[in-house]
């Protein structure tokens, strides 16, 4: 079964860092763009970042630009989200999902057209 498994979440103090992993199972990651999303209780899902296949072009929401870095290791079939200078407003469950090629559906907000949504990993930012 094709799916993502997210990991790396946890409890961190404001200003701290975490690195999330998104491991693909049952398919080869190299042909897909991968998006990271988050959803906090009572809030709408938010697109955080996306990395395309082939050229590795990256996109970030304004709320995380300069603090988060997305990367991919196709040999390990895994995408990462390095999160630095975490803020309480970053607290959410983080998910990854895929689309073929570039970050088209991510950028136009058609997130339900992405594939292989994982179960998510919880990030808590609190002192």
């Amino acid at each position: 079964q094709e799916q993502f498994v997210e990991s790396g979440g946890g409890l961190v103090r404001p200003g701290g860092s975490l690195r999330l992993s998104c491991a693909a199972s049952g398919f080869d990651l190299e042909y897909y763009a991968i998006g990271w999303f988050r959803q906090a209780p009572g809030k709408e899902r938010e697109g955080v970042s996306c990395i395309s296949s082939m050229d590795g072009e990256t996109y970030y929401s304004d709320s995380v630009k300069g603090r988060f870095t997305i990367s991919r290791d196709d040999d390990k079939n895994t995408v990462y989200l390095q999160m630095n200078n975490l803020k309480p407003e970053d607290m959410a469950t983080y998910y990854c999902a895929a689309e073929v090629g570039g970050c088209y559906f991510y950028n136009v907000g058609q997130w339900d057209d992405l594939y292989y949504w994982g179960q998510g990993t919880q990030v808590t930012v609190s002192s």
Side-chain angles (χ1 to χ4, degrees):
Q1 181 181 358
E2 297 90 347
Q3 65 177 359
F4 282 118
V5 178
E6 299 96 339
S7 62
L11 172 64
V12 63
R13 295 189 177 190
S17 298
L18 285 173
R19 187 175 82 154
L20 305 184
S21 297
C22 170
S25 175
F27 66 101
D28 288 330
L29 202 61
E30 64 179 310
Y31 304 111
Y32 294 88
I34 308 302
W36 278 101
F37 303 83
R38 66 187 182 187
Q39 188 164 22
K43 294 188 176 181
E44 293 188 354
R45 186 172 48 180
E46 177 186 3
V48 175
S49 183
C50 187
I51 186 166
S52 67
S53 66
M54 303 299 187
D55 61 4
E57 189 168 6
T58 58
Y59 304 86
Y60 297 94
S61 67
D62 288 342
S63 60
V64 307
K65 199 172 295 182
R67 300 187 297 122
F68 290 11
T69 303
I70 191 170
S71 62
R72 62 191 298 153
D73 185 338
D74 289 343
D75 289 338
K76 294 183 178 179
N77 234 23
T78 302
V79 171
Y80 303 97
L81 187 68
Q82 177 67 42
M83 306 188 298
N84 297 328
N85 190 21
L86 282 160
K87 303 176 180 181
E89 52 263 42
D90 295 318
M91 188 161 59
T93 301
Y94 284 70
Y95 304 89
C96 54
E99 61 177 293
V100 176
C103 296
Y104 174 76
F105 290 122
Y106 171 88
N107 282 321
V108 299
Q110 292 180 217
W111 300 335
D112 288 340
D113 288 325
L114 276 74
Y115 311 126
Y116 313 140
W117 289 87
Q119 294 300 306
T121 184
Q122 177 69 40
V123 171
T124 303
V125 184
S126 176
S127 55

